[in-house]
Amino acid sequence: MGNYAIAIHGGAGSLMTGTVTAEKEKEFNDKLSEALQAGYNILSKEGTAIDAVEAAVRVLEDSPLFNAGKGSVFNSDGINEMDAAIMNGKNLRAGAIAEVHTVRNPISAARAIMEKSKHVLLASTGAEKFAKEAGLEIVDPSYFYDDNRHKQWLATKDNDSINSWAGDGIPEGTKKHGTVGCVALDSQGNIAAATSTGGINNKKFGRVGDSPIIGAGTYANNKTCAVSCTGEGEYFIRNVVAYDISALMEYKGLTIAQATAEVLKKVALLGGEGGLVAIDAQGNISAPFNTNSMFRGWINTAGEKFTGIFR
Amino acid sequence: MGNYAIAIHGGAGSLMTGTVTAEKEKEFNDKLSEALQAGYNILSKEGTAIDAVEAAVRVLEDSPLFNAGKGSVFNSDGINEMDAAIMNGKNLRAGAIAEVHTVRNPISAARAIMEKSKHVLLASTGAEKFAKEAGLEIVDPSYFYDDNRHKQWLATKDNDSINSWAGDGIPEGTKKHGTVGCVALDSQGNIAAATSTGGINNKKFGRVGDSPIIGAGTYANNKTCAVSCTGEGEYFIRNVVAYDISALMEYKGLTIAQATAEVLKKVALLGGEGGLVAIDAQGNISAPFNTNSMFRGWINTAGEKFTGIFR
């Protein structure tokens, strides 16, 4: 049985050490740990990377602590609008969904698109129709409601889109790029990536970020790496971040750590911020960010577990 | 004044030599020529590449001969649903729009998103709202109606999505990946790319192809190249085709002709077909396709003009 490993993120942002209560910090770390374990349990039983990344992301989607699935931020119409993508490094198959309001677990809908349709990206009401026909769990949009997220939206809805984030135990004005994601290597040597998001608080005009864009927020290829990003999505799209990491590894022979550092530097050069988790086919994990904090965690090939928020 | 040049495509497909009437062939070539000239006139007066690609694509969008803007194919609900993207190689700024039914020129809406919003990709009704507020020409969805396209849809609507294409002067059962696109180099040394499409005939579930995906169907970077793709969009997304050409040039030193050939080979390996137009910062043009035909044309740095459909 080959090596296996998993890494996750729950969004990058401006949260500073010492500004979050100890209780809240523990709550976040516990949930990150639970998500990691959900994926790792699959990997340790010779399960596939694609099953592991879906399982881990579902845990984060189901938690109101993170901006994906339940607990997604509100758009300018006061509703939750979600995007997700998944990619299998074994065969370069991919599925993605954008602008849905009724699919309980968008990451599972992305997987259904990958496996049960001829398409990669479905959006809006058509995507919801597909998810329903594919047998996914459909919920009333009110399922996604979270009181803290709603207060955040009420406080900012008369301004332009503001990516601020506050709530129980979190200081006012904290900036956060809410997205969750996971990458994994399984014991058969296959890697996969998954990303899910509620987008930007108070987002207007049907804005779609990098999460459901294959090559930008999500990418996986057994030859190189699997990547899931979080940050100012527009900069990640313009830099084709996830695929660029793969290209630097494949075409220039960079290690995963070198490639992720190089690409985040390019994002910063254009003025963007964020972070990502990445894994290569040997199980090396890289989780850099150019913000103050990134909710993240991993269990490496030695079975060592880490979760954390700050630098 | 530096060199300038322009290249366009009007979709790749299975059309065989000798199967289209001479009148129809002339009609296509005339329209390709008109689009090229619209862009070239801007370039020859020291205008910008971004203005040139928008102008050329607008001509193709306004013509019912091509599957973009007026004359777009019908989706499974019997309406025209359009996507477009534009990217400026000078500053890596980009704009894209997906699933719109009321914007007369989707490429101009993509440009407005690039220049007047903080976002890259807007979709569906939100995108239409943005376009209206940005002052773009809004039309009744019936504007996009074309009798041949409607007949094509009626003939296939009870089947699965079928990318067939027939019409006045075109044999039944012809396969075509309808998309239009343009790349250009201006006399200041800047390059740009633009792509616009009506997607797949009888498409379901809000399917979005590669055209509005930066890095997949559309990409531009002064360091390397500008690219606009046409083909089976899903394969172009999974291969991150447009950015991969750029990466091969930047990281491996390939010429534009070598890079485009390499990347189309990867698309074919996964089972996909299509083509693209690309230009580098010296004005070298590459327009390969792995289908029988691709509507295409260019005016190179020597001022030589070509338009054609077949190999």
Side-chain angles (χ1 to χ4, degrees), chain B residues 135-168:
Chain B
L136 285 148
E137 188 176 353
I138 303 299
V139 292
D140 186 86
S142 64
Y143 162 80
F144 298 101
Y145 180 90
D146 175 73
D147 206 45
N148 281 323
R149 299 291 191 193
H150 196 247
K151 278 185 198 146
Q152 169 191 3
W153 175 65
L154 287 176
T156 56
K157 79 183 175 67
D158 297 326
N159 310 324
D160 257 355
S161 283
I162 290 174
N163 216 10
S164 72
W165 177 62
D168 182 30

Side-chain angles (χ1 to χ4, degrees), chain B:
Chain B
M1 192 173 168
N3 276 336
Y4 52 93
I6 186 168
I8 59 173
H9 69 78
S14 70
L15 204 63
M16 301 279 282
T17 320
T19 60
V20 57
T21 62
E23 292 77 11
K24 200 73 190 173
E25 190 171 344
K26 182 176 184 315
E27 212 183 322
F28 279 120
N29 278 307
D30 286 351
K31 190 54 75 174
L32 290 169
S33 181
E34 182 190 334
L36 279 174
Q37 205 61 50
Y40 197 75
N41 289 347
I42 291 168
L43 298 172
S44 65
K45 289 172 190 143
E46 300 191 39
T48 64
I50 202 85
D51 280 343
V53 295
E54 182 190 3
V57 166
R58 283 177 67 104
V59 169
L60 299 172
E61 283 180 341
D62 288 346
S63 163
L65 290 173
F66 300 97
N67 176 16
K70 185 167 179 63
S72 285
V73 294
F74 289 77
N75 73 5
S76 65
D77 295 325
I79 56 173
N80 310 106
E81 192 166 79
M82 291 154 285
D83 308 328
I86 196 164
M87 187 161 184
N88 191 337
K90 183 183 177 179
N91 50 21
L92 301 184
R93 293 201 67 180
I97 195 161
E99 291 198 352
V100 291
H101 315 106
T102 62
V103 184
R104 175 173 163 161
N105 290 104
I107 198 63
S108 297
R111 184 168 179 180
I113 291 164
M114 173 172 80
E115 293 179 348
K116 298 177 182 174
S117 86
K118 291 176 289 185
H119 304 306
V120 172
L121 174 58
L122 304 180
S124 195
T125 47
E128 291 180 335
K129 199 175 157 211
F130 173 86
K132 195 174 176 185
E133 289 186 20
L136 285 148
E137 188 176 353
I138 303 299
V139 292
D140 186 86
S142 64
Y143 162 80
F144 298 101
Y145 180 90
D146 175 73
D147 206 45
N148 281 323
R149 299 291 191 193
H150 196 247
K151 278 185 198 146
Q152 169 191 3
W153 175 65
L154 287 176
T156 56
K157 79 183 175 67
D158 297 326
N159 310 324
D160 257 355
S161 283
I162 290 174
N163 216 10
S164 72
W165 177 62
D168 182 30
I170 306 291
E172 288 291 330
T174 298
K175 212 168 146 194
K176 178 158 182 284
H177 311 292
T179 302
V180 308
C182 180
V183 293
L185 163 71
D186 67 30
S187 59
Q188 285 77 49
N190 296 312
I191 57 178
T195 311
S196 183
T197 188
I200 302 178
N201 173 52
N202 202 33
K203 73 179 172 192
K204 283 182 191 167
F205 302 127
R207 178 260 187 188
V208 178
D210 63 318
S211 302
I213 307 298
I214 299 303
T218 307
Y219 185 75
N221 187 338
N222 277 4
K223 277 209 277 192
T224 51
C225 59
V227 180
S228 171
C229 300
T230 167
E232 294 176 294
E234 281 71 11
Y235 295 95
F236 283 69
I237 293 176
R238 291 165 59 199
N239 281 290
V240 200
V241 164
Y243 182 70
D244 199 26
I245 294 166
S246 172
L248 283 166
M249 292 175 70
E250 183 176 356
Y251 301 147
K252 291 190 79 175
L254 266 57
T255 66
I256 195 161
Q258 291 168 332
T260 57
E262 176 77 15
V263 172
L264 265 196
K265 218 182 289 171
K266 287 194 198 176
V267 170
L269 268 178
L270 287 187
E273 62 171 39
L276 57 92
V277 291
I279 196 166
D280 67 18
Q282 289 71 50
N284 297 303
I285 290 166
S286 176
F289 50 102
N290 64 14
T291 46
N292 290 322
S293 53
M294 181 168 80
F295 295 83
R296 65 200 185 279
W298 54 78
I299 304 177
N300 65 18
T301 53
E304 296 157 347
K305 188 178 199 168
F306 167 85
T307 67
I309 302 176
F310 308 105
R311 288 211 167 269

Side-chain angles (χ1 to χ4, degrees), chain A residues 4-161:
Chain A
Y4 52 93
I6 186 167
I8 58 172
H9 70 78
S14 70
L15 204 64
M16 300 280 282
T17 319
T19 61
V20 59
T21 62
E23 291 76 13
K24 200 72 190 172
E25 191 171 341
K26 182 175 183 313
E27 211 183 322
F28 280 120
N29 278 306
D30 286 351
K31 189 54 75 175
L32 289 169
S33 181
E34 181 189 334
L36 278 174
Q37 206 59 52
Y40 197 73
N41 289 347
I42 291 168
L43 298 171
S44 65
K45 290 173 190 141
E46 302 192 36
T48 64
I50 202 84
D51 280 342
V53 297
E54 182 190 3
V57 166
R58 282 178 68 104
V59 170
L60 300 171
E61 283 180 340
D62 288 346
S63 163
L65 290 172
F66 299 97
N67 176 17
K70 185 166 178 64
S72 285
V73 295
F74 288 77
N75 74 5
S76 65
D77 295 326
I79 54 172
N80 310 107
E81 193 166 78
M82 290 153 286
D83 308 329
I86 196 164
M87 188 161 184
N88 192 338
K90 183 183 176 179
N91 50 21
L92 302 183
R93 293 200 67 179
I97 194 160
E99 292 197 351
V100 291
H101 314 107
T102 62
V103 185
R104 176 174 163 162
N105 289 105
I107 198 64
S108 297
R111 184 167 179 181
I113 291 164
M114 174 174 79
E115 293 179 347
K116 297 177 182 175
S117 86
K118 291 176 290 187
H119 304 307
V120 171
L121 174 58
L122 303 181
S124 196
T125 47
E128 292 180 334
K129 200 175 156 210
F130 174 84
K132 196 175 175 183
E133 290 185 18
L136 286 147
E137 188 176 353
I138 302 300
V139 293
D140 187 87
S142 65
Y143 162 82
F144 299 101
Y145 181 90
D146 174 73
D147 206 44
N148 281 323
R149 300 292 191 191
H150 196 246
K151 278 185 196 143
Q152 167 192 4
W153 175 64
L154 287 175
T156 55
K157 78 183 178 67
D158 297 327
N159 311 323
D160 255 356
S161 282

